[in-house]
Structure formats: structure tokens, C-alpha cells
Amino acid sequence: MGHRRDHRQPYLDDSPLFLSGNLVPLTIIKGAGHEFIPLPNGENATTADFHSIRTKTESPAHFTSGFYKIEAGPQRPAHYTFEETKYVLNGQIDILDEATGITHHLVPGDFAFFHVGSKVKFSTKSNGLAFYAVTRPVRAPHPNLLGREEDNKAKL
């Protein structure tokens, strides 16, 4: 009888890297925090990308992660040409989904997924901070990460 794979579980021995014996070290960024992300002059929201790679999956794409910071002010429109996940860390982020007309009030612990073609308007009555991961290259590098990526040769 043939081997049945449970597609819900990852399989290390299916990985080309595992099969070839080439182990790849992790990328670690110490202090990739949100505390020192300034808003651009005259703006009430910004992104701060802190890591990006060109994936080595079946359909290579960029995979970038960072923080989204917003303060009270005008709505911030976005029309998605890439996928994105947002996870609210603190504050509140309101998202008007133009496809449905519904405004979602996201608070810490809430998650949103934006499909290619999603069109939204972000706002907040106070402030909000979210972690995101997107399938696009870096647009706005985190302003305070210079020198924080660890050397892969570092030993504990």
C-alpha cells in the first residue's frame, strides 16, 4: 500500500532543501520593533517593512513583513494588487471594505486578509498598530533597523 500524506501537516522530507542536504540558516532581526517608527511629515499613517525575500516556492513571489501605524486623521485608501495579512497589535484600526460597504473595527487580536482586488479605506479615532505580511517587495523600509540583522555566523 502506498504512503498517504496528510496535506494539513508539513512534511520535511518533501522539501528540496532537505533532500539535497543543504541546510539554510534562519534570518533573525533583533529589535524589529514598532516603537521608533516616525510618521512622515503631514501624514497620519505609514508602513515600515522590516524583512523581504524572493521566495523559493513553486511560484516565486516576494514575501515582505512589517508594521502598519495609523493615527487619527483622514481616511487612507488602498487598492490591493498583492495579498496582505494584518494582525492588530494595539489600538484600533477601522477598515471600510468598499466591496461590501461594511466598516470593520479591528482591535488587538483581530486579523484581516486582503485579496488581490480588495479596495479599502483605513482610519482610526485614536491610533492603531498592526503587523503585516504581504506578497510585494519593500516599499518603505523601517527607518531604524540599520545593523540589526544578525550575522548568520553568530554563536550563542
Side-chain angles (χ1 to χ4, degrees):
M1 177 172 270
H3 178 83
R4 287 197 47 167
R5 177 177 172 186
D6 181 353
H7 289 284
R8 294 170 294 174
Q9 298 296 320
Y11 235 27
L12 287 178
D13 60 354
D14 281 349
S15 165
L17 293 174
F18 184 81
L19 292 174
S20 70
N22 295 330
L23 297 178
V24 178
L26 301 174
T27 296
I28 305 295
I29 300 172
K30 300 293 281 184
H34 58 83
E35 297 83 358
F36 304 106
I37 301 171
L39 290 174
N41 288 338
E43 298 291 333
N44 70 315
T46 191
T47 57
D49 298 335
F50 64 81
H51 183 254
S52 184
I53 63 165
R54 182 85 172 144
T55 65
K56 294 179 174 34
T57 54
E58 291 177 19
S59 300
H62 286 90
F63 182 68
T64 302
S65 50
F67 294 106
Y68 179 72
K69 181 177 179 179
I70 187 169
E71 294 182 353
Q75 289 185 325
R76 311 295 301 187
H79 193 165
Y80 283 84
T81 58
F82 51 87
E83 292 88 2
E84 176 175 47
T85 63
K86 262 190 177 60
Y87 180 82
V88 178
L89 298 169
N90 62 47
Q92 178 179 343
I93 300 176
D94 297 328
I95 305 171
L96 168 61
D97 181 350
E98 293 193 21
T100 64
I102 296 171
T103 297
H104 302 276
H105 306 285
L106 278 62
V107 296
D110 290 347
F111 169 88
F113 183 85
F114 304 84
H115 300 268
V116 170
S118 293
K119 190 172 182 184
V120 301
K121 290 182 181 169
F122 294 100
S123 64
T124 186
K125 290 182 174 38
S126 55
N127 60 64
L129 180 76
F131 169 82
Y132 62 79
V134 295
T135 57
R136 63 157 172 77
V138 169
R139 285 188 179 166
H142 189 303
N144 291 306
L145 284 186
L146 186 60
R148 292 196 184 186
E149 187 165 321
E150 286 188 348
D151 182 338
N152 284 326
K153 294 171 186 66
K155 303 288 182 210
L156 293 177

